[in-house]
Amino acid sequence: MAKLIDGKAISSAVKAEVAGEVQKLTAKGIRPGLAVVLVGDDPASRIYVNNKRKACEATGIYSEEYLLPETTSLQELLELVSRLNEKGDIHGILVQSPLPEGLDEAAVVETISPKKDVDAFHAYNVGKLMQGCPIFQPCTPAGVIELIHSTGVTIAGKHCVVIGRSDIVGKPMAMLLLQNNGTVTVCHSKTANLQEITRQADILVSAVGKAGFVTADMVKPGAVVLDVGMNRDGAGKLCGDVDFAGVEPIASWITPVPGGVGPMTIAMLLRNTVTAAKLQNGMAL
Ligand code: NAP
């Protein structure tokens, strides 16, 4: 029987640490500030933005919300981002994805100042990550690393298999595991003999987006299993990629969904906002 990795408790601890940092910075006249921009009225995105605002409030981070209509042009959006780049009380900028069709997401990301790019999506920050010296840790993969550390299992020397190679999760996940001295294999939809590879994983991270994708026969007994997937099952209930009932008896550690990786993403975003505020004020990290 695997031990559960409690993302709720671990994210609460990170938020408490962030709140302490915010208090110290605010006492010095530097209150970390985050701007969140939402274009259109996608209900899921609205919930994410609300959660980010609440998390800012809970940790003392100043936040601004920009809710723009679906009809916003790319130029209007880029102008807003440029204004936020110049705003002294805003240290981090997040433009909620997905953007409505027709708005060039890459152009928006590249307009955010790399110093305020708390999602770590800008090419400059992606490059720093590739060089092994990221300024900001990409939020979801950094959350997964924090969860692995919480188990006491060392990443160094372990075979880490990541299923998924997206720019947001899979690729930066692989880079962070490598930075932690893991031996990393990245799998994707064209991978041959997927099961053969995943069965070699001491640490298995799934970021596919398909409910029940990772079954017990894909997991090495004793593996640490991290489930990034956020899917809906047949009954509309939130679930991950991993067949939890099948895998839990053979893994050594496993994240539940909900309550695993999900809560970590916002916590790491808050941490990045504090980092941004320090850097923009010439402070050591
Ligand atoms: P994505 O861009 O759709 O990428 C999915 C990846 O899975 C792709 O690299 C794809 O391979 C791979 N894949 C698909 N079918 C496969 C198969 N049969 N065998 C092996 N690999 C396969 O998704 P994403 O943005 O990375 O997100 C992945 C999941 O994580 C989603 O459920 C998303 O909702 C969730 N997520 C959660 C959080 C969080 O905070 N917990 C944050 C972000 C995302 P190809 O590249 O070959 O197509």
Side-chain angles (χ1 to χ4, degrees):
M1 287 270 278
K3 286 180 235 159
L4 274 193
I5 308 178
D6 186 347
K8 268 194 199 161
I10 298 160
S11 68
S12 293
V14 172
K15 284 185 199 161
E17 167 216 300
V18 166
E21 291 273 305
V22 170
Q23 209 172 18
K24 278 192 240 159
L25 285 169
T26 305
K28 291 182 180 149
I30 304 161
R31 185 171 180 204
L34 175 71
V36 180
V37 181
L38 173 65
V39 188
D41 46 17
D42 176 58
S45 295
R46 190 66 238 224
I47 292 171
Y48 294 143
V49 167
N50 280 343
N51 288 344
K52 283 164 191 166
R53 180 176 31 78
K54 283 185 204 154
C56 283
E57 282 164 10
T59 49
I61 291 176
Y62 169 67
S63 71
E64 289 182 359
E65 234 177 50
Y66 294 85
L67 306 177
L68 308 181
E70 183 107 16
T71 51
T72 303
S73 69
L74 179 62
Q75 196 185 336
E76 286 166 329
L77 183 53
L78 296 185
E79 277 168 12
L80 170 62
V81 170
S82 299
R83 281 202 304 280
L84 294 172
N85 281 341
E86 298 305 320
K87 234 171 160 275
D89 56 354
I90 290 299
H91 305 97
I93 302 169
L94 184 147
V95 179
Q96 185 65 48
S97 67
L99 289 173
E101 212 157 303
L103 287 180
D104 180 356
E105 203 142 341
V108 176
V109 168
E110 293 309 306
T111 302
I112 296 174
S113 162
K115 291 182 199 156
K116 297 192 176 186
D117 171 38
V118 283
D119 258 340
F121 292 164
H122 190 287
Y124 177 83
N125 287 317
V126 174
K128 294 296 277 183
L129 176 65
M130 279 289 291
Q131 289 177 333
C133 49
I135 300 170
F136 301 117
Q137 305 261 338
C139 301
T140 302
V144 171
I145 295 287
E146 197 79 20
L147 293 179
I148 300 171
H149 286 330
S150 78
T151 65
V153 172
T154 47
I155 299 172
K158 297 283 161 46
H159 189 186
C160 309
V161 174
V162 180
I163 321 176
R165 58 170 166 181
S166 71
D167 291 340
I168 295 173
V169 189
K171 282 183 202 159
M173 186 71 251
M175 284 301 134
L176 286 185
L177 289 164
L178 200 55
Q179 208 187 322
N180 281 272
N181 297 317
T183 302
V184 183
T185 304
V186 182
C187 302
H188 47 79
S189 67
K190 307 290 184 293
T191 296
N193 307 324
L194 180 67
Q195 181 187 349
E196 214 173 277
I197 298 166
T198 58
R199 277 190 68 84
Q200 294 171 30
D202 302 306
I203 297 173
L204 179 62
V205 182
S206 182
V208 174
K210 290 182 182 167
F213 183 80
V214 176
T215 46
D217 55 359
M218 294 169 73
V219 178
K220 173 173 157 178
V224 180
V225 179
L226 292 303
D227 190 351
V228 182
M230 277 184 12
N231 315 300
R232 297 276 163 193
D233 66 12
K237 242 181 89 198
L238 185 65
C239 67
D241 290 346
V242 176
D243 166 22
F244 189 87
V247 172
E248 189 266 343
I250 58 168
S252 61
W253 290 90
I254 190 166
T255 54
V257 178
V261 176
M264 295 303 291
T265 300
I266 290 185
M268 304 322 278
L269 172 73
L270 302 175
R271 188 184 266 176
N272 281 348
T273 304
V274 168
T275 300
K278 286 184 181 171
L279 286 173
Q280 284 159 50
N281 285 280
M283 295 170 73
L285 295 178

